Amino acid sequence: MIGHGFMGAAHSQGWRVAPRFFDLPLAPAMQVVVGRDAGSTAAAAERWGWAESATDWREVIARDDIDLVDIVTPGDTHAAIAIAALEAGKHVLCEKPLANTVVEAKAMSEVAARAAERGVASMVGFTYRRVPAVVHARQLIADGRLGDIRQVRAEYLQDWLMDADAPLTWRMKKDLAGSGALGDIGAHAIDLTEFITGQRVERVSGIIETIVAERPLLEHGSGLSGTASTERGAVTVDDLALFTGRLSSGALASFEATRFRTGRKNALRIEVSGSKGALAFDLERLNELEFYDATQPETELGFRRILVTEAGHPYVGSWWPTGHMLGYEHGFSHQVRDLVVAIAGGERPEPSFDDGLHVQRVLDAVEQSSAADGVWVAAEG
Amino acid sequence: MIGHGFMGAAHSQGWRVAPRFFDLPLAPAMQVVVGRDAGSTAAAAERWGWAESATDWREVIARDDIDLVDIVTPGDTHAAIAIAALEAGKHVLCEKPLANTVVEAKAMSEVAARAAERGVASMVGFTYRRVPAVVHARQLIADGRLGDIRQVRAEYLQDWLMDADAPLTWRMKKDLAGSGALGDIGAHAIDLTEFITGQRVERVSGIIETIVAERPLLEHGSGLSGTASTERGAVTVDDLALFTGRLSSGALASFEATRFRTGRKNALRIEVSGSKGALAFDLERLNELEFYDATQPETELGFRRILVTEAGHPYVGSWWPTGHMLGYEHGFSHQVRDLVVAIAGGERPEPSFDDGLHVQRVLDAVEQSSAADGVWVAAEG
Amino acid sequence: MIGHGFMGAAHSQGWRVAPRFFDLPLAPAMQVVVGRDAGSTAAAAERWGWAESATDWREVIARDDIDLVDIVTPGDTHAAIAIAALEAGKHVLCEKPLANTVVEAKAMSEVAARAAERGVASMVGFTYRRVPAVVHARQLIADGRLGDIRQVRAEYLQDWLMDADAPLTWRMKKDLAGSGALGDIGAHAIDLTEFITGQRVERVSGIIETIVAERPLLEHGSGLSGTASTERGAVTVDDLALFTGRLSSGALASFEATRFRTGRKNALRIEVSGSKGALAFDLERLNELEFYDATQPETELGFRRILVTEAGHPYVGSWWPTGHMLGYEHGFSHQVRDLVVAIAGGERPEPSFDDGLHVQRVLDAVEQSSAADGVWVAAEG
Amino acid sequence: MIGHGFMGAAHSQGWRVAPRFFDLPLAPAMQVVVGRDAGSTAAAAERWGWAESATDWREVIARDDIDLVDIVTPGDTHAAIAIAALEAGKHVLCEKPLANTVVEAKAMSEVAARAAERGVASMVGFTYRRVPAVVHARQLIADGRLGDIRQVRAEYLQDWLMDADAPLTWRMKKDLAGSGALGDIGAHAIDLTEFITGQRVERVSGIIETIVAERPLLEHGSGLSGTASTERGAVTVDDLALFTGRLSSGALASFEATRFRTGRKNALRIEVSGSKGALAFDLERLNELEFYDATQPETELGFRRILVTEAGHPYVGSWWPTGHMLGYEHGFSHQVRDLVVAIAGGERPEPSFDDGLHVQRVLDAVEQSSAADGVWVAAEG
C-alpha cells in the first residue's frame, strides 16, 4: 500500500476484515506500507497491521513478493505509481480520482488496458459502488423496475468549509488536489450516477465557484487538519460545482458538489426517476434505499424505505443477521472481496481505469463549460 | 350549536365549508348558537356565521325550526342536553367524550337507541375517524391487506402540561373534565384503534398517573388559557395513562395518553401489525399513511409513505388536485358530510352513542385497573 | 372574480373563510363570478358562494359596486383584464404567473404603478408566500440567524406527466400556458427563493426540456383532465427546467422545475445554506420547517423539525391550538387577510406586479439561456 | 472465547479491530476459541482469527496463558463458565442475558463481587451501551439538559417470527433460552433505559404473551435457522412483552419487546421526556440522536437530528472523519476498548454482573406480574 492517510486506514481495514467475512479464493497478505517519512510510515504499518514499511515505492514495486499495489496517495502521484506498478506486472487498486488531469488519466488507462491483456488487473476505488443499497439500486434499474430513466438528481453535500477561517489545506490547492469539491466529491456523484443507471454522462453545462476565496495559511499540521496562521492565501480550487449532464439515453441529470451546504455532513444522494418507478439514496442513511414502485395501485403509491440489511441484499448475507447496520468502512471490505474474486477468476474488475478516465473527462468538461460561460461541452475524447 | 369554544369554531367551519365541497342531499342552515353569556355568545354567532344566538338551550331545543343539535360543551353537560334534544326529536351530534361517566353515557346510549327507531339520528364526534389516511387504513385492513392483526400500538402524545407552573384550568379538574389525558386524548386512541381494526377493546390493565399534582390556580381567563395566581390547587385528573388492552380477536394493544411527552404536540399515532403487513399513522403528518406490504419480495420490503392526497383516497377527490395537503379542520367537514348523508338516507351514522358508551367503559375500566394495582378489568357491561 | 376553475375554488375559499378567523378592517362581500359559459358560471357562483354570475368581465369591471377584481383565468388573459380593472380604479388580485410574456407583464406593472399612486392596490397571487413555515423562514433569515447566504437549492417536483399517454391539455400548449413546468411551477420556486432570502435572481444559465414531446390529443374534457383521442399532437412547452441563478448578493441558487420526478406529487422545496445556519422546507410537509443552527455546540448540531403550529408562528394564532395542522387552502385565507389589511391601511400589498414582472423576466432569461446553449443571461430589463 | 455463533463473530471482530483504532494500554491476543464440536470450532478459530481451538472450556480456563474469558454461549451455560473463570482468576466478559434465572445471576454476581476484590474484572455484554449516540444521550441527561425525567418509552421491535410457520429454534424453548422476546431483547430495552437515565426500574406491571403458540419442529439446522419438519411443537417462551416500570425517581417507563411488529427489523428505540427537553434514539438509525431542547425560543422548538459522527462525539474521533457512518459491530470494538482500559486501570468495568443481575430481576418481576394478573411486582431482591 502506497500512502497511509485516512484512506490508508480505510483500505487497511478492508484488507484485514474482508477475509474474515467473505470466502476469498486467494488469501491476501498485508505486506508493506510505503510513505515518505520513515518514522511515521513505520508507525502506520504497526498501527494498521502491515508486516513492513518502506519509503521508496519504486523498490517495493520491484519486489517479487508483491502481487498487488494499493495506491492511496494524493491524486498528483497516482499516474507515476500506477503506471510503474502495472508495467511491473502488479495488480493495481488506485484510489479515486484516478488522476488530477485527463492527460494522466488517459495514460494510465492505456497502460491498464495493455496490462489487462497480460492478466494484470486494475481498479479505481469508487468505494460507494460497494454500498449494498447502491448495488441494490443498480440491480432494480437493470431489472427494468424503473422503466425508462427520465431524469436523475445527484448531489454530494458537505459543509466542512463553512467556517471562512478554516485554514488552507492541500485539498484547497489546485496543484496538489487537482480540483476542489468537483473532483473530490463531484467525482463520486458522477460515478454513482453512471454505475446505478448503467449510462454515461456525455455532455455537460455548468459552473464551478469558489465561495470563500482566501483563507488563513496552514501553520502546522498535515492532512486535512492543522492550525491557522495569520497570513492568508488564495484558495485555488472550487468549493461548489453545479452542473447538468446529458446521459447516453438522452435523459438529463443535474449535479451538485459542495462543501458549503450547512448542516450536511456527508450527504451523497441520488434520486433516479423513471417511467415505472423511482429510487432515492442518501449516504447519511447508507443502510436504506427508498423505492417508489409506480405500478402499485394508485391509492398505495409511496416511497418505501427499504432497510438494505436482509440476507438477500448484496454483500449483506456475509455479515450480521437481519436489521443490523453496516457502516462506512464495510465498502472497503466489499471492494477487496470483489477485486480478489476478479483477479482469481481472471476477470477485469470494475470500475476500470477507463471508467476513472471517463469521470475525469466529465470533470474536465465541467471546468471547460464553467470557463466558457456555461455552454455545453462534450465529455468524450 | 350548544357551546362555542375551540370546538365550536371547528364545528362551525365544518358546517360552513362542507356544502361547498361535497354534494349534500340536504342543505344545512347555521341557525342558532347557544351559550351561557349573552354577549360572548352573540359575538360567537357573528364570528362563526350563525344567524342567531341564545342563552337557554332548552328553549332552542323546543323550537320547531331546529332539526339538529350540535353539542360542543364540556363533557359534564352532554347527557342532559343530548337526552333532551333526542327526546324532542332533534338529531344530535355530540362532541366526544360522550359523557363524563359511564352512567350518563349509558343513559344517552339508551335514549339514542330509542330515538333511532323513530328516525332520529345521533353521532359522537370522534372526528379523527374522518381523516382520509385513517379511513384508508381501515379500508386496507378490512380488505385483508394486513392479514390477521397481531398487535396494535396506539398513543396520543402531547406536552402542553410540561411547564409545572402552567395554571390549573378546567381540563385538570375531575368534576368538570371527567378525566385528564385518559378521557381527553386516550379516548381518541381507543376509538381510533377500534375504528381502524374493526375490533373492540374488551379488557384492560393499566395505570393512570398525575405527574404534576399541584399547580397555580387560574386567576383570570377562560377555556384552556389564563394567567396564574400565587395560590396553588390540586390537579384532580391524570396527566399520563399507560394501559394494555385485549381486543376481540385476542390480540393485544398497548396504549399511552400523555400531556408530558416533551416535544410532541399533537401526536395521535397508531401502528397496526398483521400477518401480511403493517400500517402506521401520525396525526402530526395527517396527510401521510405508512404501509408495509409483507407480501412484496424480501429485498423490496419497507414502510412506504403514501401521500393520502390522491383523488382515489377517501374524501380527497372533493377537495384539491393531487398532492395538495388537507389540515386539521377538514375532518369537521367530512363529519358534517357523513352525518347529513346518513340522516338524508335514513341510516344510522357512526360512531353511534353506543360506540361512545363503549369507549367510556374502556376508560372506566382503565381507572378501575389503576386503582386495583393493575389487574385486568373487563370493559363490557 | 374572473374565472372559476381550480384556482377559483381556492380563492373563493379564501374569501369565505378569512373573515371568520382574522379580524379584517373591511368586510369582503363575494359579489359576482365571471365566466365564458353562462350555465357553468352560474353553477360555480352557487357552489362557491358568490351572489351573482356574469359572462362579460368588461361589464362587471364597469360596475360601481365592485371594488376588487380577483383574476383566476389562464395566463393569456391576465393582462387585458388586470389593466382594464386597474384603469377602472378597481383593486386587483391576479393569480400567478402575472402574464405569459414579459411584454404583457411589463405593461401590467406600469399600469399598476400608476394605479398605486391613485390608491389602487394590486397583488400577484404567489400564495406559497403565505404558508406559515415560509414566512417564519423569511423572518429567521431577516433576523440574521443564517448569517451570510452561501447557496440556495429550490425545486418544485411533480410527476403528473409521467404517464406518456396522458392527454394534451391546455397546460401543455405554449400559446395558452405560456410555458410549461418552468412558468407554472418554476415561477413558484423563483418567487419563494426571492421572498425567503430577500434577494433577486439577477442572471441565469439553464436548460428547458420536453421529455415527452408528443401526446394523445384531448377528446373531451376541460381544465387539466379529459379523455385521450387516438390522434397525437406536439407538446409545445417544457416539462423539465434546470437552471442556476446568481442572486443579488453573489450567491448561487440552483433550480429545478419538473413534472417527471416520479413519486413527488407537489414537492416545492427550498434549502438555504448560510454561514450561521440553514433552513429547509418542503410543501409536502407544509406545517414543518427544518432549521439548523450552526451556533449550537458541535456535538448538538442537527436539523431540527419545527412544527410551525404554535401561536407565536405567523398566522397560526388565528386558527387552532398548538399542534393542529393547516392545509393547502389556508394560504388563500392568509392572502385575503394580507390584501385586505393593505388596502384598508393604504399600503402597497406584496408581491407587487413588479415582483411578478421580475419573475417573468427570470423565466424569460432561462428560456433565452436554454436557446443559447446554456450561456448566462441577465434577468433584468 | 467460549462459543462461536453469531455473537462469537461479533466479539471476534471487536477483539481484532479495537487495537487498530484505539490506543489500548494492553495488547489483546486472540488465543483460543472453545466449542462443543472439534471440527466446527477449529473452522471458527480459523475464520475469526483465533490462534487455537479447544472443546473443553474447563481446561482452557485452567491455562496460565489465558487472562480473560469471553463467554458467548447460550444463557443456560453462562453461570457455570463465568463462575469457574472468575474463581480461576480470569477476567470475564459475559454476553447478555447474564443468566437464564435470577438464582444463577445472583450467584454470578456474588462471585464477581468477590473476584473484583482480588482485581479480577467482570462485565456483561450490553453492547448497545457502546453506541456513540447512546453514550451521548446519557451524557446530555447527566448534564441536566433534560431537566427532571418525566417519562420514558423504550421498545425493542422485531418481526422475525411473523411467519407462523417459521420453525421452532432454541430461542423459542424456555429451557434453553430462558425467556423469549422479554429476555432476549426486552433485556436490552431495560438496560438501555437504566444506562441512559442513570435510574433503576424498581417495580413493574405487565404481561407476556405467546402470539404463535405452536410451530413446526426444526428438522435440520443450527442456531436460528433451519428447515421445518412436518411435526409441530409448543413455543414455550413469550414472543411479546408489554410492561410498565416505576423508575427510582418515581417516573414511569413503558416497555415493549416483540418479535411480531411487522416491518420493524431491529428497532431498539427509546424516548426520554424531561422538564427541559427530550431525546429519541432508534437502533435502525444508530448514527443519529434526536434531541429536543425545550429551552429554545417557542417558535424554534423541534426535535433535531444530530448526526453522531463528529470528532467530539463518544468514540467517534478514533474512527473516520465527520459524517462517516458507523455500524452495528463498532459497539464490540468499543466494548473491548472500555474493558481493556478498565482492566489496565484497575477499575471495575460497567455494566457489572450486578447490573446484569438487576436486569434479570426486572425480567423475573415482569413474568411474575404477568402470572399474577398484572399486579405490580418489585424488581429488587
Side-chain angles (χ1 to χ4, degrees):
Chain A
M1 184 170 75
I2 323 288
H4 53 79
F6 153 38
M7 271 302 126
H11 281 235
S12 299
Q13 180 75 341
W15 290 110
R16 182 185 311 111
V17 172
R20 300 298 171 191
F21 290 85
F22 295 91
D23 291 312
L24 300 184
L26 298 169
M30 295 169 71
Q31 196 57 43
V32 53
V33 58
V34 184
R36 277 172 301 192
D37 178 71
S40 65
T41 306
E46 169 81 12
R47 159 144 299 233
W48 303 120
W50 297 81
E52 310 164 42
S53 65
T55 55
D56 184 341
W57 60 262
R58 291 177 199 279
E59 279 180 20
V60 171
I61 282 175
R63 282 165 57 166
D64 281 348
D65 65 335
I66 298 294
D67 299 310
L68 186 147
V69 176
D70 184 355
I71 306 172
V72 294
T73 53
D76 59 329
T77 60
H78 288 183
I81 302 171
I83 289 171
L86 287 168
E87 289 181 341
K90 312 302 185 194
H91 307 298
V92 171
L93 169 59
C94 180
E95 193 40 44
K96 52 66 53 185
L98 187 58
N100 279 1
T101 67
V102 169
V103 171
E104 287 173 326
K106 193 151 181 287
M108 292 167 79
S109 178
E110 286 165 3
V111 171
R114 286 197 303 273
E117 287 165 17
R118 302 191 310 271
V120 177
S122 50
M123 185 194 218
V124 58
F126 284 111
T127 324
Y128 296 132
R129 288 189 176 209
R130 318 290 172 186
V131 173
V134 167
V135 181
H136 190 35
R138 174 184 167 90
Q139 195 57 49
L140 285 166
I141 290 173
D143 291 348
R145 299 297 298 277
L146 261 58
D148 298 329
I149 303 305
R150 253 78 176 267
Q151 59 170 127
V152 178
R153 168 74 185 167
E155 52 194 18
Y156 203 144
L157 315 177
Q158 298 182 337
D159 75 353
W160 58 284
L161 288 187
M162 55 173 287
D163 177 2
D165 291 324
L168 201 62
T169 67
W170 71 266
R171 281 231 183 256
M172 287 170 258
K173 295 179 186 166
K174 191 167 179 63
D175 53 340
L176 295 176
S179 74
L182 178 64
D184 181 24
I185 57 178
H188 280 299
I190 295 164
D191 184 67
L192 199 64
T193 299
E194 299 194 331
F195 176 67
I196 285 183
T197 64
Q199 297 188 37
R200 285 262 155 127
V201 178
E202 296 190 341
R203 299 166 55 77
V204 294
S205 164
I207 182 169
I208 60 173
E209 180 93 353
T210 306
I211 294 177
V212 171
E214 215 183 64
R215 289 179 175 275
L217 293 177
L218 188 63
E219 193 134 33
H220 302 293
S222 60
L224 300 181
S225 57
T227 58
S229 147
T230 53
E231 279 183 89
R232 300 178 77 87
V235 174
T236 50
V237 298
D238 62 284
D239 44 34
L240 168 65
L242 299 167
F243 55 102
T244 303
R246 181 75 70 182
L247 300 181
S248 326
S249 68
L252 289 173
S254 87
F255 294 92
E256 174 172 347
T258 175
R259 292 166 174 169
F260 275 96
R261 273 283 277 267
T262 313
R264 306 302 175 186
K265 299 304 172 188
N266 205 27
L268 172 58
R269 297 172 180 173
I270 187 166
E271 183 164 323
V272 183
S273 307
S275 58
K276 290 188 185 166
L279 285 168
F281 170 77
D282 182 346
L283 187 61
E284 288 189 358
R285 287 181 170 163
L286 67 83
N287 292 286
E288 303 177 19
L289 180 66
E290 303 245 8
F291 174 42
Y292 181 93
D293 179 356
T295 67
Q296 298 278 314
E298 188 216 35
T299 54
E300 297 177 17
L301 293 169
F303 276 88
R304 76 182 76 162
R305 169 193 171 233
I306 302 172
L307 266 187
V308 189
T309 55
E310 295 293 314
H313 287 131
Y315 304 112
V316 174
S318 300
W319 295 99
W320 312 111
T322 293
H324 289 71
M325 303 297 126
L326 301 187
Y328 163 70
E329 76 212 52
H330 291 78
F332 293 89
S333 286
H334 304 161
Q335 184 168 267
V336 163
R337 183 256 170 212
D338 292 346
L339 177 58
V340 171
V341 165
I343 289 171
E347 291 175 5
R348 299 189 183 184
E350 290 197 335
S352 69
F353 277 21
D354 197 55
D355 295 325
L357 164 62
H358 172 73
V359 170
Q360 217 63 34
R361 286 197 207 272
V362 176
L363 299 175
D364 194 60
V366 172
E367 293 199 351
Q368 287 180 49
S369 173
S370 180
D373 200 33
V375 299
W376 285 80
V377 175
E380 288 304 333
Chain B
M1 184 171 76
I2 322 289
H4 54 80
F6 153 39
M7 271 299 126
H11 280 236
S12 299
Q13 180 74 341
W15 290 109
R16 181 185 311 110
V17 171
R20 300 299 170 191
F21 289 85
F22 295 91
D23 292 312
L24 300 185
L26 298 168
M30 295 169 71
Q31 197 56 43
V32 53
V33 58
V34 184
R36 275 172 303 191
D37 178 71
S40 65
T41 307
E46 169 81 12
R47 162 143 296 232
W48 303 119
W50 297 82
E52 310 164 43
S53 66
T55 56
D56 185 340
W57 60 263
R58 292 179 198 277
E59 279 178 20
V60 171
I61 282 175
R63 282 167 55 168
D64 281 348
D65 65 334
I66 297 294
D67 298 312
L68 186 147
V69 176
D70 185 355
I71 305 171
V72 293
T73 52
D76 58 329
T77 61
H78 286 184
I81 302 171
I83 289 171
L86 288 168
E87 289 182 341
K90 312 303 186 193
H91 306 299
V92 171
L93 169 59
C94 181
E95 192 42 44
K96 55 64 51 186
L98 187 58
N100 279 2
T101 67
V102 169
V103 171
E104 286 173 326
K106 194 151 181 285
M108 293 168 77
S109 178
E110 287 164 3
V111 171
R114 286 197 303 270
E117 286 164 20
R118 303 190 310 269
V120 177
S122 51
M123 186 194 217
V124 57
F126 284 110
T127 324
Y128 295 132
R129 287 189 176 208
R130 318 290 172 185
V131 173
V134 168
V135 181
H136 191 35
R138 175 184 166 90
Q139 195 57 49
L140 285 166
I141 290 173
D143 291 347
R145 301 296 300 277
L146 260 58
D148 298 328
I149 302 306
R150 253 78 176 269
Q151 59 169 129
V152 178
R153 169 73 185 166
E155 51 193 18
Y156 203 144
L157 315 177
Q158 299 183 335
D159 74 353
W160 57 285
L161 288 188
M162 57 175 284
D163 177 1
D165 291 324
L168 199 64
T169 67
W170 71 266
R171 280 231 184 257
M172 286 170 259
K173 294 178 187 168
K174 193 168 178 61
D175 53 340
L176 295 177
S179 75
L182 177 63
D184 181 23
I185 56 179
H188 280 299
I190 295 164
D191 185 66
L192 199 65
T193 298
E194 299 194 333
F195 176 67
I196 286 183
T197 63
Q199 297 187 37
R200 287 260 154 128
V201 178
E202 296 190 341
R203 297 165 57 76
V204 295
S205 163
I207 182 170
I208 60 174
E209 179 93 353
T210 306
I211 295 178
V212 172
E214 212 183 64
R215 289 180 175 275
L217 294 177
L218 188 65
E219 192 134 33
H220 303 292
S222 60
L224 300 181
S225 56
T227 58
S229 147
T230 52
E231 279 182 88
R232 300 179 79 87
V235 174
T236 49
V237 297
D238 61 284
D239 44 33
L240 168 64
L242 299 167
F243 55 102
T244 302
R246 181 74 69 180
L247 300 181
S248 326
S249 69
L252 289 173
S254 86
F255 294 90
E256 175 172 346
T258 173
R259 293 166 171 169
F260 275 97
R261 272 284 278 265
T262 312
R264 306 303 174 185
K265 299 305 174 187
N266 204 27
L268 172 58
R269 299 172 179 171
I270 188 167
E271 183 163 323
V272 183
S273 307
S275 57
K276 291 187 183 166
L279 285 168
F281 171 77
D282 183 347
L283 187 62
E284 288 189 358
R285 286 181 170 164
L286 66 84
N287 292 283
E288 304 177 19
L289 181 66
E290 304 246 8
F291 174 42
Y292 181 92
D293 179 356
T295 67
Q296 299 277 315
E298 187 215 34
T299 55
E300 297 177 17
L301 292 170
F303 276 88
R304 75 183 75 163
R305 169 195 171 231
I306 302 173
L307 264 187
V308 189
T309 55
E310 295 293 312
H313 288 131
Y315 305 112
V316 173
S318 300
W319 296 99
W320 312 110
T322 292
H324 289 71
M325 304 297 127
L326 300 187
Y328 163 70
E329 76 211 52
H330 290 77
F332 293 90
S333 286
H334 303 162
Q335 183 169 269
V336 163
R337 183 257 170 212
D338 291 346
L339 177 58
V340 171
V341 166
I343 289 172
E347 291 176 4
R348 300 191 182 182
E350 290 196 336
S352 68
F353 277 22
D354 196 56
D355 294 326
L357 165 62
H358 174 73
V359 170
Q360 218 64 33
R361 286 195 208 273
V362 176
L363 299 176
D364 194 61
V366 172
E367 293 199 352
Q368 287 180 48
S369 174
S370 181
D373 201 33
V375 298
W376 286 79
V377 175
E380 289 303 332
Chain C
M1 184 170 76
I2 323 289
H4 54 80
F6 154 37
M7 271 300 127
H11 280 235
S12 299
Q13 181 74 340
W15 291 110
R16 181 184 312 112
V17 172
R20 301 297 170 191
F21 289 85
F22 295 91
D23 292 312
L24 301 184
L26 297 169
M30 295 170 70
Q31 195 57 42
V32 53
V33 59
V34 184
R36 277 172 301 190
D37 178 69
S40 65
T41 308
E46 169 81 12
R47 158 144 301 230
W48 303 120
W50 297 82
E52 308 164 43
S53 66
T55 56
D56 184 341
W57 59 263
R58 291 179 200 278
E59 279 179 21
V60 171
I61 282 175
R63 282 166 56 166
D64 281 348
D65 64 334
I66 298 294
D67 298 312
L68 186 148
V69 176
D70 184 355
I71 305 171
V72 293
T73 52
D76 59 329
T77 60
H78 287 184
I81 303 171
I83 289 172
L86 288 169
E87 289 181 341
K90 313 302 186 194
H91 306 298
V92 171
L93 169 59
C94 181
E95 193 41 43
K96 54 62 55 182
L98 187 58
N100 278 1
T101 66
V102 168
V103 171
E104 286 173 327
K106 194 152 181 286
M108 293 167 77
S109 178
E110 285 164 4
V111 171
R114 287 197 303 272
E117 286 165 18
R118 302 192 310 270
V120 177
S122 50
M123 187 194 216
V124 57
F126 284 112
T127 324
Y128 295 131
R129 288 189 176 208
R130 317 291 172 185
V131 173
V134 167
V135 181
H136 190 37
R138 175 184 166 91
Q139 194 57 47
L140 286 166
I141 290 174
D143 291 348
R145 300 296 300 278
L146 260 58
D148 299 329
I149 303 306
R150 253 77 176 269
Q151 59 169 128
V152 177
R153 168 76 185 165
E155 52 194 17
Y156 203 144
L157 314 178
Q158 299 182 337
D159 74 353
W160 58 284
L161 289 187
M162 52 173 290
D163 177 1
D165 291 324
L168 201 61
T169 67
W170 71 267
R171 281 232 183 256
M172 286 169 259
K173 294 179 186 166
K174 191 168 179 62
D175 52 341
L176 294 177
S179 75
L182 178 64
D184 180 25
I185 55 178
H188 280 299
I190 295 164
D191 184 66
L192 200 65
T193 299
E194 299 193 332
F195 176 68
I196 285 182
T197 63
Q199 297 187 38
R200 286 260 155 128
V201 177
E202 296 189 341
R203 300 166 54 76
V204 294
S205 163
I207 183 170
I208 59 174
E209 180 92 354
T210 306
I211 294 177
V212 172
E214 213 182 64
R215 288 179 176 275
L217 294 177
L218 188 64
E219 193 135 31
H220 303 291
S222 60
L224 299 181
S225 56
T227 58
S229 147
T230 53
E231 279 183 88
R232 299 178 78 87
V235 175
T236 50
V237 297
D238 61 283
D239 44 34
L240 169 63
L242 298 168
F243 55 102
T244 302
R246 181 73 71 182
L247 300 180
S248 325
S249 68
L252 288 173
S254 86
F255 294 91
E256 175 172 346
T258 175
R259 292 166 172 168
F260 275 96
R261 273 284 278 265
T262 312
R264 305 302 176 186
K265 299 304 173 187
N266 205 28
L268 172 59
R269 298 171 179 173
I270 188 166
E271 184 163 322
V272 183
S273 306
S275 58
K276 290 187 184 167
L279 284 168
F281 171 77
D282 182 345
L283 187 62
E284 288 189 357
R285 286 181 170 164
L286 67 82
N287 293 284
E288 303 178 19
L289 180 67
E290 302 246 7
F291 174 42
Y292 182 92
D293 179 356
T295 67
Q296 298 278 314
E298 187 214 36
T299 55
E300 297 177 17
L301 292 170
F303 276 88
R304 75 182 77 161
R305 169 194 171 233
I306 302 173
L307 265 188
V308 189
T309 55
E310 295 293 313
H313 288 131
Y315 305 112
V316 174
S318 300
W319 295 99
W320 312 110
T322 293
H324 288 70
M325 303 297 127
L326 300 187
Y328 163 70
E329 76 211 51
H330 291 78
F332 293 90
S333 286
H334 303 161
Q335 184 168 270
V336 163
R337 183 257 170 213
D338 290 347
L339 177 57
V340 170
V341 165
I343 289 172
E347 291 175 4
R348 299 191 183 182
E350 289 196 335
S352 69
F353 277 22
D354 198 56
D355 295 326
L357 165 62
H358 173 74
V359 170
Q360 217 63 34
R361 287 196 208 272
V362 176
L363 300 175
D364 194 60
V366 172
E367 292 198 353
Q368 286 180 48
S369 174
S370 180
D373 201 33
V375 298
W376 286 79
V377 175
E380 289 303 333
Chain D
M1 185 170 76
I2 322 289
H4 53 79
F6 153 38
M7 271 301 126
H11 281 236
S12 298
Q13 181 74 341
W15 291 109
R16 182 185 312 110
V17 173
R20 300 298 171 191
F21 290 85
F22 295 90
D23 292 313
L24 300 184
L26 298 168
M30 294 169 70
Q31 197 55 44
V32 53
V33 59
V34 184
R36 276 172 303 192
D37 178 71
S40 64
T41 307
E46 170 81 11
R47 161 142 299 232
W48 303 120
W50 297 81
E52 312 163 41
S53 66
T55 56
D56 184 341
W57 59 263
R58 290 177 200 277
E59 278 179 22
V60 171
I61 282 175
R63 281 166 55 166
D64 282 347
D65 65 335
I66 298 295
D67 297 311
L68 186 147
V69 176
D70 184 355
I71 305 171
V72 294
T73 52
D76 59 328
T77 60
H78 287 185
I81 303 171
I83 289 171
L86 289 168
E87 289 181 342
K90 312 304 184 191
H91 306 299
V92 171
L93 168 59
C94 181
E95 192 41 44
K96 54 65 53 183
L98 187 58
N100 279 2
T101 65
V102 169
V103 171
E104 286 173 326
K106 192 150 181 287
M108 292 167 78
S109 179
E110 286 164 4
V111 172
R114 287 196 304 272
E117 286 164 20
R118 302 192 310 270
V120 178
S122 50
M123 186 194 218
V124 58
F126 284 111
T127 325
Y128 295 131
R129 288 190 175 208
R130 318 291 172 186
V131 173
V134 168
V135 181
H136 191 35
R138 175 185 166 90
Q139 195 57 49
L140 285 166
I141 289 173
D143 291 348
R145 300 296 300 278
L146 260 60
D148 297 329
I149 303 306
R150 253 79 175 269
Q151 58 169 129
V152 177
R153 168 75 185 165
E155 52 194 17
Y156 203 143
L157 314 177
Q158 299 183 336
D159 74 354
W160 58 283
L161 288 188
M162 56 175 284
D163 177 1
D165 291 324
L168 200 62
T169 66
W170 70 267
R171 281 230 184 258
M172 286 170 259
K173 295 179 186 166
K174 192 167 180 60
D175 53 340
L176 295 176
S179 74
L182 177 64
D184 181 23
I185 56 179
H188 280 299
I190 295 164
D191 185 66
L192 200 65
T193 299
E194 300 194 332
F195 176 67
I196 286 183
T197 64
Q199 297 187 36
R200 286 261 155 126
V201 178
E202 296 190 341
R203 298 166 57 76
V204 295
S205 163
I207 183 169
I208 60 173
E209 180 92 354
T210 306
I211 294 178
V212 172
E214 213 183 65
R215 290 179 175 276
L217 294 177
L218 188 65
E219 192 134 32
H220 302 291
S222 60
L224 301 182
S225 57
T227 57
S229 148
T230 52
E231 279 182 87
R232 302 178 77 87
V235 175
T236 49
V237 297
D238 62 284
D239 44 34
L240 168 63
L242 298 168
F243 54 103
T244 303
R246 182 74 70 180
L247 300 181
S248 326
S249 69
L252 289 173
S254 85
F255 295 90
E256 175 172 346
T258 174
R259 292 165 172 169
F260 275 96
R261 274 283 278 266
T262 313
R264 306 302 174 185
K265 299 305 175 189
N266 204 27
L268 173 58
R269 299 170 177 173
I270 187 167
E271 183 163 324
V272 183
S273 307
S275 57
K276 291 187 183 167
L279 285 168
F281 171 76
D282 182 346
L283 187 62
E284 288 189 358
R285 287 181 169 163
L286 67 84
N287 292 283
E288 304 178 18
L289 180 67
E290 304 246 7
F291 174 42
Y292 182 92
D293 180 356
T295 67
Q296 298 278 314
E298 188 216 34
T299 55
E300 297 177 17
L301 293 170
F303 276 88
R304 76 181 74 162
R305 170 194 170 231
I306 302 172
L307 266 187
V308 188
T309 56
E310 296 292 313
H313 287 132
Y315 305 112
V316 174
S318 300
W319 295 99
W320 312 110
T322 293
H324 288 70
M325 303 298 126
L326 301 187
Y328 163 71
E329 76 212 51
H330 290 77
F332 293 89
S333 285
H334 303 161
Q335 183 168 269
V336 162
R337 182 257 171 211
D338 291 346
L339 177 58
V340 171
V341 166
I343 289 171
E347 290 175 5
R348 300 190 183 184
E350 290 196 335
S352 68
F353 277 21
D354 197 55
D355 295 325
L357 164 62
H358 173 73
V359 170
Q360 217 63 33
R361 285 196 208 271
V362 177
L363 299 175
D364 194 60
V366 172
E367 294 199 351
Q368 287 180 47
S369 173
S370 181
D373 200 33
V375 299
W376 287 79
V377 174
E380 289 303 333

